[in-house]
Amino acid sequence: MRRILVTGARGQVGSELTLALRERYGNNNVIAGDKRKPDEKLLKSCPFEVIDCTDIGAVKKLVKEYSVDTIYHLAAILSATAEAKPQLAWDVNINGLYNVLEIARESKCAVFSPSSIGAFGPTTPRDNTPQDTIQRPDTMYGVTKVAGELLCDYYHKRFGVDTRGVRWPGIISSETPPGGGTTDYAVEMFYAAVEQRKYTCFLKPGTYLDMMYIPDAIRAAIDLMEADHHRLKHRNAFNVTAMSFAPEDIADEIRKHIPGFVMDYEIDPVRQAIADSWPNKVDDSAAREEWGWSPDYDLETMVEDMIAKLKVKLRNNLLVGSRP
Ligand code: AKB
C-alpha cells in the first residue's frame, strides 16, 4: 500500500485528488499538505499538515515521519499570477519542485509533478500539438513548466527517481475554485450562470484552449502513477486533453440549461496573450498508447454535471464565498 503526500492539497485539484486518493488507499495513507490551514472536509478525513514546499527541511521531516513513498506535488503558482509575480513563481514552481525531487531521491519516493499546456509557446504547432515538439514559452509559468519537465526527466535518468507527469489543460471543477490561471474563465462562467448573473469574459471569442473536467484530471494522475513503467516511453510530461472550446462554445452549451445566460467581453491583454501562446488542441495519442488514457467527459456531459452540482451548492447556500 502506498503512503502518499499531496502538496497543494487545498488547491483546485489537490482538494479533490486528496479525497480520491484516500478512497483508494485509505485515509491514513494519504497526508494532505498545504500552506493554508485545512477546511473541514479535508480535516475530517485526516491527516493534514501545514507545509510550504519551499521549506525543504519541513517537507523532509514530514516524508520521514509518515514514511511517505509517493508525492503528488501540486503546489504551484498558475499562469496569470506567475506573470504578475515572476519571482514568486520561480521560487514556488522551481525551488519547490527541486526540494521535492531531492527528498524523493534521498527517500526513494515516486513523484507525480503536473506540467501544463503552458509548457508550449508561440512557436509550437497550435493544432494537434505533438507530444514531442517545440517548447519555447514566453511566460514565466511556461518557463517553470518546461524546466520542471526537464528536471523531472533528469532525476529519473540520473538518480532513478520514478517521476511522472501530465500536461494538464484548463481544469473545470465545482468543489474548489481555481485561482490565478488563464483558463479560470470557464469556471467563473458557470458560477455566474447558475447565480443568474451576466458574465464578462476576459478572453476573446475564438480563443480555443484544451480543457478537462476534474474527474478526468484526477483519474489521469492516478492512472499514470499506477501505469506499468515498462510501457512508458515518455514520463515528463504527457499531453492529455478531453475537449477544446472557445468562450462562446461553452456559453452556448450553458444556455441549453440556463437559456437567459448573458455573456459579454472585456479582454484582459495579459491573459489573452498567454492564451494566444498556447495550443488550440493537443494530440494526446502518446498517453492513450502508453498508459491507456481516455477521458470520460466531453463538453456536453461536463456542462450538464457542473450545472447540476453548482445548483445543489446554490440551494445549500454554499456558492457564496466560493465564487472565483
Ligand atoms: C492556467 O490557466 O494557468 C492553468 C493551466 C492551463 O496550466 N489552468
Side-chain angles (χ1 to χ4, degrees), residues 107-120:
S107 300
K108 306 204 177 329
C109 299
V111 177
F112 174 82
S113 171
S115 184
S116 158
I117 51 171
F120 298 117

Side-chain angles (χ1 to χ4, degrees), residues 78-80 116-118 141 168-171 180-184 278:
L78 295 189
S79 56
S116 158
I117 51 171
Y141 183 62
W168 267 327
I171 293 173
T182 301
T183 56
D184 296 7
W278 291 354

Side-chain angles (χ1 to χ4, degrees), residues 5-114:
L5 168 65
V6 181
T7 71
R10 286 208 54 196
Q12 185 198 13
V13 180
S15 56
E16 297 199 43
L17 176 68
T18 301
L19 299 178
L21 289 168
R22 283 181 175 168
E23 220 162 80
R24 197 173 185 88
Y25 298 107
N27 281 1
N28 289 326
N29 288 321
V30 183
I31 297 95
D34 202 288
K35 267 174 86 166
R36 296 161 290 182
K37 296 223 168 69
D39 66 0
E40 217 179 298
K41 214 167 176 184
L42 269 185
L43 202 56
K44 258 195 221 149
S45 66
C46 289
F48 187 99
E49 299 280 346
V50 175
I51 43 153
D52 177 348
C53 66
T54 61
D55 179 351
I56 191 165
V59 184
K60 197 180 283 186
K61 190 161 162 269
L62 207 73
V63 165
K64 290 228 152 63
E65 195 179 317
Y66 286 96
S67 307
V68 166
D69 59 29
T70 305
I71 305 173
Y72 283 78
H73 178 48
L74 302 190
I77 302 292
L78 295 189
S79 56
T81 305
E83 276 318 280
K85 300 177 183 171
Q87 297 80 3
L88 175 72
W90 180 267
D91 192 30
V92 174
N93 294 6
I94 294 295
N95 296 332
L97 175 60
Y98 171 77
N99 290 344
V100 164
L101 290 170
E102 267 299 286
I103 293 164
R105 178 182 68 77
E106 281 173 20
S107 300
K108 306 204 177 329
C109 299
V111 177
F112 174 82
S113 171

Side-chain angles (χ1 to χ4, degrees), residues 187-264:
V187 180
E188 292 175 5
M189 199 188 292
F190 279 103
Y191 278 74
V194 168
E195 290 182 302
Q196 313 282 343
R197 289 185 282 117
K198 180 181 91 175
Y199 181 63
T200 301
C201 186
F202 57 76
L203 293 185
K204 278 193 230 164
T207 307
Y208 280 88
L209 291 169
D210 284 293
M211 299 275 181
M212 186 179 289
Y213 196 30
I214 190 97
D216 282 329
I218 286 171
R219 205 166 43 72
I222 297 175
D223 284 0
L224 175 58
M225 288 308 278
E226 291 187 350
D228 177 358
H229 69 94
H230 292 109
R231 288 183 62 194
L232 300 183
K233 292 190 205 100
H234 299 86
R235 280 181 167 266
N236 303 284
F238 284 93
N239 284 0
V240 284
T241 188
M243 60 195 92
S244 166
F245 57 74
E248 65 274 25
D249 299 330
I250 184 168
D252 284 347
E253 196 58 41
I254 288 174
R255 272 188 211 106
K256 290 186 186 161
H257 303 264
I258 305 174
F261 174 55
V262 177
M263 178 170 75
D264 61 9

